Amino acid sequence: MSEVADRGTTGAPVRRLILLYDAQCPLCTFLRNWLARQRQLVPLDLVPAGSEEARRRCPGIDHISMLSEITLVGDSGQIYRGPAAWVVTLWALSEYRPLSHKFSTPAGARLARAAVLAAAKYRQTHRDQQVRKAGGGAYRRADGWAYDRVDGWTYYGPAACDSGCHVPD
């Protein structure tokens, strides 16, 4: 398992984790619901990536890039992405902690990476299908789009100031 960056968190205990997931992805929401039903040894807060709650709870990270792959944020500032995030997520679950130890070996890490790549392929296929159905790119709130019943979809972009305000182009 590799941490994205060592920000002085090596050896810090993990008492709570925030899992940032893509709420627009059916696979991600399925896994989010599955995780919510599991017995947790370390509490998992399941938060949609790019949401106001995610921005409030994890202010120092790039929230748009968090939509590309699973991201886990520890209460001491640890950040895990991709296969490492899945291994740590399994580690937080009572029934799956022994499996997480197997995935932390070199051979297990290859299996974890293969699982993450398979999930990414599924997500891309689903995203491509959404684009075809919509006749173009899908509008997503996390990307800065807002829907109004009168005006339709409007792009505001990511937050333009530190207070969270949105400034139209």
Side-chain angles (χ1 to χ4, degrees):
M1 277 183 311
S2 65
E3 200 171 325
V4 170
D6 182 6
R7 296 180 324 281
T9 60
T10 303
V14 177
R15 293 185 183 96
R16 181 169 222 93
L17 293 161
I18 300 170
L19 181 111
L20 300 172
Y21 69 96
D22 183 353
Q24 303 297 320
C25 167
L27 177 62
C28 299
T29 55
F30 172 82
L31 290 170
R32 179 246 177 257
N33 294 337
W34 178 81
L35 287 168
R37 293 189 308 267
Q38 302 305 307
R39 188 167 155 261
Q40 300 170 0
L41 296 173
V42 176
L44 288 171
D45 297 333
L46 308 166
V47 178
S51 68
E52 289 303 318
E53 181 181 359
R55 291 179 198 284
R56 179 180 55 78
R57 294 181 69 182
C58 307
I61 62 175
D62 176 8
H63 290 275
I64 298 301
S65 72
M66 297 301 114
L67 290 167
S68 65
E69 65 182 333
I70 180 176
T71 303
L72 202 59
V73 180
D75 58 350
S76 295
Q78 306 93 332
I79 297 178
Y80 306 94
R81 295 193 66 186
W86 275 117
V87 173
V88 175
T89 300
L90 291 174
W91 172 83
L93 304 176
S94 174
E95 188 174 338
Y96 295 93
R97 185 166 277 185
L99 182 61
S100 76
H101 292 293
K102 291 179 183 176
F103 280 139
S104 67
T105 67
R110 287 191 294 276
L111 288 173
R113 179 169 162 64
V116 168
L117 290 174
K121 183 169 179 65
Y122 171 86
R123 291 182 70 218
Q124 184 60 50
T125 300
H126 182 267
R127 207 172 279 131
D128 291 346
Q129 289 171 350
Q130 282 182 318
V131 169
R132 281 193 295 279
K133 285 179 188 176
Y139 299 110
R140 295 166 38 126
R141 284 177 177 78
D143 293 334
W145 290 90
Y147 182 76
D148 180 82
R149 289 184 178 149
V150 175
D151 297 325
W153 286 99
T154 305
Y155 181 72
Y156 291 100
C161 63
D162 293 335
S163 66
C165 64
H166 292 283
V167 179
D169 289 334

